[in-house]
Amino acid sequence: MKGSERKLTPKQEQAIAALMTEATVSAAAEKVGVNEGTIYRWLKQEDFLAEFREVRRQAMEKATAFLQQSSWAASTTLVRLLGSGSDSIRLRAAQAILDQGNKGLETLDFEQRLLAVEEFAKEMGNQR
């Protein structure tokens, strides 16, 4: 939902934007022109908190997408570092490659298991 659907005031919408760009709640409050306690009070309100969480989630999705787009460059850099003249650099590159490979495999395995559990639950639900 958008802020307007949640009936936030313009100051509350400004506060959410400030919370996303300022390092502290105090700085966000100052930027918006409200008392710090006001922002803490708003953070306890369901509509405000839900909108703030949605904005943060969208920001993290964008950051994650950017990192995913950079994965190829990072991968080629790690592979290139395997040819370094420094043993410590080669070791760290090799460890990073193996760690990421294992994490990827664990994620794929988990996804397959989750799909199997969901399918089983669906089948059990259809039997009732």
Side-chain angles (χ1 to χ4, degrees), residues 20 51-62:
M20 293 299 296
E51 182 67 14
F52 179 49
R53 286 181 175 155
E54 175 64 16
V55 169
R56 282 193 317 186
R57 186 188 63 75
Q58 289 174 7
M60 286 307 299
E61 282 183 2
K62 288 178 184 176

Side-chain angles (χ1 to χ4, degrees), residues 13-81:
E13 290 176 359
Q14 290 172 13
I16 288 172
L19 287 168
M20 293 299 296
T21 59
E22 299 300 322
T24 65
V25 173
S26 178
E30 185 176 329
K31 184 174 187 176
V32 176
V34 297
N35 185 289
E36 183 177 348
T38 300
I39 292 187
Y40 281 115
R41 186 171 34 85
W42 288 342
L43 285 166
K44 293 178 183 176
Q45 295 174 1
E46 186 178 323
D47 286 348
F48 184 87
L49 185 57
E51 182 67 14
F52 179 49
R53 286 181 175 155
E54 175 64 16
V55 169
R56 282 193 317 186
R57 186 188 63 75
Q58 289 174 7
M60 286 307 299
E61 282 183 2
K62 288 178 184 176
T64 299
F66 177 73
L67 291 174
Q68 287 172 335
Q69 292 168 359
S70 303
S71 294
W72 182 257
S75 299
T76 56
T77 298
L78 282 173
V79 171
R80 184 177 48 78
L81 289 173

